[in-house]
Amino acid sequence: MPKVIIVGAGLVGALNACYFSQLGWDTEVYEYRSDVRELEENSGRVINLTLAGRGRKALEGVGLKDEVVRHGLEITHRLVHYVDETTKAHPIARPGEYLLCIGRRKLNTICLDHAEKFPNVKLFFKHKAQKVDPIDGTVTLTKLETQEKVEVSADLILACDGAFSAIRRSLLYYPRFDYSQTFLEDGYIELRIPEKNGKYAWDPNLAHFFPRGNILLVVFANTESKTFNVTLFAPYTKFEQLDTERKQTSFFKETFPDAFRLLGEENIIQAFKRTKPQPLVSVKCQPYTFNGKVVLMGDAAHAMYPFIGQGMNAGFEDCRLLNECLRQYDFDIAKALDVYSKARPKDAHAINDIALRNYHVLRNTIRGPYYVIRRIIDMKLHSILNSLWIPYPSMVLFSDIPYHKVVEKRIQQDSILFFGMTFIGLVIFAYCIQAIF
Ligand SMILES: Cc1cc2nc3c(=O)[nH]c(=O)nc-3n(C[C@H](O)[C@H](O)[C@H](O)COP(=O)(O)OP(=O)(O)OC[C@H]3O[C@@H](n4cnc5c(N)ncnc54)[C@H](O)[C@@H]3O)c2cc1C
């Protein structure tokens, strides 16, 4: 059987481990950190994630969809909270569709547990990858406990080591490898709304959004306790201004009064003490494969801003598509990688751009009448025309239409609506003129 090395046991690395262990390949996973399953409940990255259609389809490929869905919360509506404390709910999905909110750690655990059931899988924690040699297919690692350097080789190496991938860094001088990264002017910090009398303080099946111009607060229920995870996105300059406890608490009190009451002053002060704002980075590169041996996947290939909740979903889709290519070309690794690498970057670049576009939508447009009217028209057209008119967010979140085609379809829909509205406008105008004269 061929051997695969997976660098990184995060979400994408762990799902890849499930796919390759099921194929019967000798699978070795090398992870920089300790085993996420042995960490304290609240340690590590606690952000919960929304799993959309693409992610669920990829999990279905390894038989894990139902188990994951059982551990998550179904979200069908977004509740927009205004500064005067009024709220308005908007459907995210068509009837029957939903986003699944699930803890990162839980999802990671389910995938690692599943992969580990196979005898052909070995997981190595506290192993830090330093570089890859795509010519002879070797990865150089440091065993963190002994500082010993080790070299491991395989038929296929999957770099799933995240947005700041060491494997990708070691490939920067590979001929004709294009690479760019862009940081957003915004960063984010996380806070937590505690339980209220042993229950969720708000409806956990809603995605709570607080758009305030260049500031955005997003609240999703945690699935491992009855708390909510709160993410505050704001420009770094804003975070710098919030340099005293009084400024921090008054900012929350004035900008998000309803969230402020649930968070409480002390909670806010501690969150600012505990964390500094985290950066948001977008990575575009190509090709994704090197010498028919190495593949960049997940955030290592296409880290994106989190404003359409597709980073992990796109990474999971990478796993499914690579697996499909391997099967389609009868496990001819070089051929399958060539096909994968030709198709995937344009989709990944498209979702990167969609995520940036949605950043502006969430901060501003979502509050305005254009967004609401457009949503109503889209839903109406969809109910009449069915799959001939799928609203743009639904194509991203609930279909597996390649992302670059989603963009093409959106441009077509915009043009049709523009010309349709202009035509109707002209007809009304002509009718009025006729009526007057
Ligand atoms: C605030 C926020 C909210 C988000 N919300 C969503 C969402 O709702 N839905 C969604 O789909 N996506 C979301 N994302 C994006 C999502 O978190 C990422 O796309 C996803 O984690 C990528 O998975 P990955 O396995 O590629 O990378 P990671 O999850 O970063 O995993 C990489 C792994 O590699 C390990 N590693 C790193 N360096 C090395 C090394 N040198 N050697 C060995 N191992 C190494 C790391 O320890 C880690 O375990 C969000 C992101 C942010 C920041």
Side-chain angles (χ1 to χ4, degrees):
M1 271 293 170
K3 177 176 167 187
V4 60
I5 287 174
I6 299 171
V7 180
L11 298 168
V12 174
L15 184 61
N16 265 322
C18 297
Y19 268 102
F20 282 89
S21 55
Q22 280 192 195
L23 287 177
W25 289 33
D26 289 332
T27 306
E28 289 182 2
V29 183
Y30 292 92
E31 164 60 43
Y32 168 45
R33 293 191 246 194
S34 311
D35 190 340
V36 68
R37 296 167 296 179
E38 288 164 11
L39 297 176
E40 292 285 314
E41 174 71 20
N42 289 336
S43 50
R45 292 156 79 187
V46 292
I47 304 168
N48 43 20
L49 302 151
T50 51
L51 187 71
R54 292 169 205 264
R56 292 202 290 270
K57 185 165 179 180
L59 286 163
E60 200 167 21
V62 292
L64 287 180
K65 188 186 118 185
D66 292 343
E67 186 179 352
V68 169
V69 169
R70 261 202 312 281
H71 285 95
L73 283 163
E74 290 186 16
I75 310 274
T76 55
H77 283 71
R78 182 187 288 136
L79 190 71
V80 179
H81 294 245
Y82 298 92
V83 79
D84 62 2
E85 298 195 36
T86 56
T87 55
K88 185 150 182 48
H90 303 276
I92 292 173
R94 297 174 286 169
E97 289 172 337
Y98 63 91
L99 291 173
L100 190 88
C101 182
I102 182 152
R104 177 188 291 273
R105 185 168 167 269
K106 184 75 202 170
L107 186 52
N108 213 170
T109 298
I110 291 174
C111 291
L112 289 175
D113 282 349
H114 182 74
E116 221 175 24
K117 285 181 192 148
F118 294 84
N120 47 319
V121 174
K122 289 188 190 128
L123 305 178
F124 300 90
F125 294 96
K126 298 190 189 164
H127 279 65
K128 184 175 185 182
Q130 306 293 350
K131 58 178 183 179
V132 71
D133 183 337
I135 307 303
D136 58 8
T138 56
V139 180
T140 309
L141 301 130
T142 307
K143 271 189 187 178
L144 294 182
E145 270 159 3
T146 58
Q147 288 304 311
E148 186 192 339
K149 281 232 167 352
V150 281
E151 236 179 42
V152 287
S153 55
D155 304 285
L156 179 61
I157 295 161
L158 307 180
C160 309
D161 52 342
F164 301 101
S165 165
I167 298 291
R168 187 187 65 222
R169 199 165 50 241
S170 74
L171 290 163
L172 285 182
Y173 295 106
Y174 195 85
R176 304 185 61 210
F177 178 46
D178 293 332
Y179 169 73
S180 69
Q181 72 177 31
T182 315
F183 284 95
L184 207 60
E185 67 270 27
D186 294 25
Y188 70 95
I189 62 163
E190 288 189 286
L191 304 95
R192 190 170 277 223
I193 291 178
E195 295 181 3
K196 199 173 174 187
N197 308 324
K199 294 191 179 133
Y200 285 111
W202 277 330
D203 186 342
N205 293 100
L206 294 173
H208 299 265
F209 277 76
F210 302 69
R212 304 285 187 265
N214 65 352
I215 292 163
L216 174 68
L217 194 82
V218 181
V219 179
F220 279 101
N222 289 314
T223 47
E224 291 176 58
S225 62
K226 299 265 185 283
T227 59
F228 283 91
N229 205 66
V230 179
T231 314
L232 170 67
F233 298 97
Y236 269 84
T237 45
K238 181 73 203 174
F239 283 115
E240 281 156 19
Q241 284 165 14
L242 301 177
D243 55 358
T244 65
E245 292 177 0
R246 198 184 53 78
K247 284 186 198 168
Q248 290 155 6
T249 50
S250 348
F251 163 72
F252 265 85
K253 197 173 186 174
E254 283 155 23
T255 323
F256 317 107
D258 38 1
F260 170 79
R261 274 197 304 280
L262 295 178
L263 282 160
E265 289 198 359
E266 193 50 32
N267 198 353
I268 294 167
I269 292 165
Q270 288 312 320
F272 275 91
K273 273 203 182 120
R274 198 174 49 239
T275 48
K276 56 179 191 333
Q278 298 297 304
L280 293 164
V281 69
S282 160
V283 168
K284 282 186 181 172
C285 61
Q286 64 177 348
Y288 289 161
T289 68
F290 302 83
N291 198 37
K293 284 204 171 83
V294 179
V295 194
L296 300 178
M297 299 181 80
D299 275 15
H302 46 65
M304 65 194 73
Y305 306 132
F307 301 107
I308 195 150
Q310 283 291 291
M312 166 196 59
N313 284 284
F316 277 11
E317 193 173 53
D318 292 349
C319 305
R320 176 178 70 80
L321 293 175
L322 179 66
N323 199 267
E324 278 177 15
C325 282
L326 283 164
R327 286 175 192 273
Q328 191 180 348
Y329 293 98
D330 208 16
F331 300 100
D332 177 339
I333 298 177
K335 178 74 191 151
L337 262 52
D338 187 45
V339 172
Y340 176 84
S341 191
K342 280 191 180 124
R344 197 59 181 150
K346 62 174 179 296
D347 285 319
H349 293 182
I351 187 60
N352 247 292
D353 295 338
I354 291 172
L356 177 60
R357 187 177 187 269
N358 215 45
Y359 163 64
H360 299 292
V361 172
L362 288 181
R363 293 195 322 174
N364 299 305
T365 328
I366 198 178
R367 294 181 297 177
Y370 171 79
Y371 176 84
V372 177
I373 293 167
R374 177 66 198 259
R375 206 70 193 121
I376 294 168
I377 294 174
D378 272 338
M379 289 300 194
K380 195 77 208 153
L381 285 172
H382 177 60
S383 68
I384 299 165
L385 299 171
N386 214 343
S387 62
L388 287 177
W389 191 283
I390 305 177
Y392 161 67
S394 294
M395 285 194 277
V396 175
L397 298 176
F398 304 112
S399 82
D400 58 1
I401 299 171
Y403 291 119
H404 80 277
K405 291 219 168 106
V406 169
V407 174
E408 286 169 13
K409 281 173 189 281
R410 190 198 73 219
I411 293 168
Q412 271 173 12
Q413 290 180 348
D414 287 353
S415 310
I416 291 169
L417 281 184
F418 176 76
F419 288 115
M421 292 301 174
T422 309
F423 178 73
I424 292 168
L426 285 175
V427 169
I428 293 171
F429 180 70
Y431 178 80
C432 294
I433 295 284
Q434 202 188 25
I436 292 167
F437 298 104

